[in-house]
Amino acid sequence: MNKNVPVTSAAEAAAYVPQPGDFAFLGDRDINTDHNFASQGYWKGVIIHFFRNKRAVVGLIIVAAILVLAILGPVMNSYGYKDIVAYTNADGKQITAGSLSPRVPFLHKLFTGDDYADSFADRTFLFGTDALGRDLWTRTWQGARISLLIAFVTIIIDMIVGMSYGLISGFFGGKIDIVMQRIVEIFNSIPRLVIVSVLAIVMAKGIGLVIVALLLTEWIGMSKIARAEMLKIKEQEYVLASRTLGAGSFHIIFKQILPNTIGPIITQVMFSIPTAIFTEAFLSFVGVGIVLPQCSIGSLIEDGFNNITTLPYQILPPIVVLALLMLGFNFIGDGLREALAPKLEDM
């Protein structure tokens, strides 16, 4: 930095002879690190892009809130999901609550100035009770817990099976790929209701039947994504280098290629979870899923639908929870898809 003699032309600059004191070190500034363009890892960049997406953050908050309520909701009051709300009067006779609309005694008295005119005036039921007198708050979050449990167990197994199947099929190619893809087409051509109907003949209704039905159908989409990624990656230089160095086929598939396909697979998982939840709800709604007194989102919707003309409030909680779960997971899936493959203008 020239501090003493101004240079006004190229000729003067070429003829100028530096003098002592013309240049000074910037000792108070770190010139070894470029803080504006500091290196960051791939997954750190994914997290940054994900949390910049407002819809993805909203979806994450929705899903997190429902997960917390599914864990804590059933234990937030003294009623179990199959307990009938009742009390014993002075004559020793048991009085059941029956169908009670949503009620909060404190708020009711605050706005009306009166107490409820029944035997359960001092009890709070945020979602009311069903036709048998069971607390819908507890049953709704117990149902959400069961539906989420089925979805997560199914998707984890389907991810492992479908991912392995697709990677192996795409890596070996040739006749192996042809045979494996014909098997996929056969499974994909069978309607889901046919599979469920056959399973209902040989299996008892319940969680096991729903999980097996989802396992037989949900892995197909995962295998197609994994196969497409394998076909795109398997001819790249690092894979050829591993082959040259003598690495085995399965080492290349699961050690070299799998880590580079995990992004699209995670995105597919996020979109598959709401599909599994909706499928479980549908199977329970048509009567081949969860059986009473156990409950799920679908079975609660079925109960509410049967009483929709006389007790319409019963169907609202499970429908709202199902809609929020579908919306939240789809927002998360969209956010992950954009974060794992950001556009140039977003970087």
Side-chain angles (χ1 to χ4, degrees), residues 12 20 33 43 66 82 95 101 125 144 169 177-178 185 250 252 271 278 289 292 311 337 347:
E12 291 180 356
T33 304
W43 289 107
I66 292 178
K82 59 183 179 180
I95 307 298
S101 60
F125 301 102
S169 176
D177 183 46
I178 292 173
E185 292 174 2
F250 287 96
I252 295 174
F271 285 116
F278 182 80
L292 297 175
L311 305 169
R337 182 173 56 189
M347 299 182 67

Side-chain angles (χ1 to χ4, degrees), residues 75-109:
V75 297
M76 290 177 66
N77 59 32
S78 58
Y79 307 121
Y81 70 90
K82 59 183 179 180
D83 294 340
I84 296 175
V85 179
Y87 80 98
T88 304
N89 62 12
D91 299 330
K93 185 178 179 180
Q94 192 176 51
I95 307 298
T96 59
S99 301
L100 297 177
S101 60
R103 58 171 61 193
V104 179
F106 169 75
L107 294 178
H108 180 77
K109 189 169 185 178

Side-chain angles (χ1 to χ4, degrees), residues 103 105 115-123:
R103 58 171 61 193
D115 294 323
Y116 285 104
D118 56 38
S119 302
F120 298 88
D122 60 337
R123 302 197 189 185

Side-chain angles (χ1 to χ4, degrees), residues 252-282:
I252 295 174
I253 292 172
F254 295 105
K255 295 290 186 180
Q256 303 291 329
I257 297 179
L258 176 58
N260 293 288
T261 63
I262 201 67
I265 290 174
I266 291 176
T267 303
Q268 178 66 20
V269 167
M270 287 296 106
F271 285 116
S272 297
I273 290 176
T275 302
I277 293 172
F278 182 80
T279 302
E280 180 279 322
F282 170 74

Side-chain angles (χ1 to χ4, degrees), residues 237-259:
E237 287 79 2
Y238 70 90
V239 178
L240 298 176
S242 296
R243 285 177 176 171
T244 304
L245 293 173
S249 297
F250 287 96
H251 175 86
I252 295 174
I253 292 172
F254 295 105
K255 295 290 186 180
Q256 303 291 329
I257 297 179
L258 176 58

Side-chain angles (χ1 to χ4, degrees), residues 41-328:
Y42 172 74
W43 289 107
K44 183 179 179 181
V46 169
I47 294 173
I48 291 173
H49 281 91
F50 179 84
F51 282 99
R52 285 178 182 172
N53 189 322
K54 294 181 180 179
R55 289 203 312 168
V57 174
V58 170
L60 187 63
I61 292 172
I62 291 173
V63 171
I66 292 178
L67 283 173
V68 170
L69 287 171
I71 295 171
L72 301 178
V75 297
M76 290 177 66
N77 59 32
S78 58
Y79 307 121
Y81 70 90
K82 59 183 179 180
D83 294 340
I84 296 175
V85 179
Y87 80 98
T88 304
N89 62 12
D91 299 330
K93 185 178 179 180
Q94 192 176 51
I95 307 298
T96 59
S99 301
L100 297 177
S101 60
R103 58 171 61 193
V104 179
F106 169 75
L107 294 178
H108 180 77
K109 189 169 185 178
L110 179 66
F111 288 104
T112 65
D114 298 323
D115 294 323
Y116 285 104
D118 56 38
S119 302
F120 298 88
D122 60 337
R123 302 197 189 185
T124 298
F125 301 102
L126 290 177
F127 293 166
T129 60
D130 64 7
L132 296 178
R134 295 172 297 194
D135 182 35
L136 282 177
W137 168 271
T138 304
R139 288 182 64 77
T140 297
W141 299 120
Q142 176 69 18
R145 179 190 292 182
I146 296 299
S147 295
L148 287 168
L149 177 64
I150 292 173
F152 283 130
V153 169
T154 303
I155 292 303
I156 289 173
I157 298 175
D158 283 337
M159 181 183 68
I160 296 172
V161 174
M163 182 179 61
S164 302
Y165 192 95
L167 290 175
I168 293 171
S169 176
F171 181 81
F172 289 105
K175 294 182 179 180
I176 294 177
D177 183 46
I178 292 173
V179 172
M180 295 181 75
Q181 291 309 302
R182 297 299 79 76
I183 294 173
V184 169
E185 292 174 2
I186 292 171
F187 273 94
N188 200 30
S189 65
I190 303 174
R192 183 174 293 167
L193 282 179
V194 174
I195 295 176
V196 173
S197 301
V198 173
L199 289 175
I201 297 174
V202 298
M203 293 182 64
K205 296 179 182 179
I207 295 177
L209 187 148
V210 175
I211 290 178
V212 173
L214 290 171
L215 288 177
L216 292 176
T217 56
E218 293 299 320
W219 65 274
I220 296 173
M222 202 78 66
S223 70
K224 291 181 178 180
I225 295 292
R227 178 176 177 270
E229 291 298 313
M230 171 63 76
L231 294 175
K232 183 172 66 176
I233 291 175
K234 71 175 185 177
E235 298 300 334
Q236 293 190 6
E237 287 79 2
Y238 70 90
V239 178
L240 298 176
S242 296
R243 285 177 176 171
T244 304
L245 293 173
S249 297
F250 287 96
H251 175 86
I252 295 174
I253 292 172
F254 295 105
K255 295 290 186 180
Q256 303 291 329
I257 297 179
L258 176 58
N260 293 288
T261 63
I262 201 67
I265 290 174
I266 291 176
T267 303
Q268 178 66 20
V269 167
M270 287 296 106
F271 285 116
S272 297
I273 290 176
T275 302
I277 293 172
F278 182 80
T279 302
E280 180 279 322
F282 170 74
L283 294 178
S284 296
F285 180 79
V286 298
V288 295
I290 306 302
V291 294
L292 297 175
Q294 186 61 269
C295 57
S296 69
I297 295 295
S299 63
L300 290 173
I301 293 175
E302 181 195 11
D303 287 342
F305 181 77
N306 292 333
N307 300 313
I308 194 170
T309 56
T310 55
L311 305 169
Y313 66 88
Q314 293 185 0
I315 200 172
L316 290 178
I319 280 183
V320 171
V321 171
L322 177 62
L324 289 176
L325 280 173
M326 301 285 287
L327 188 69

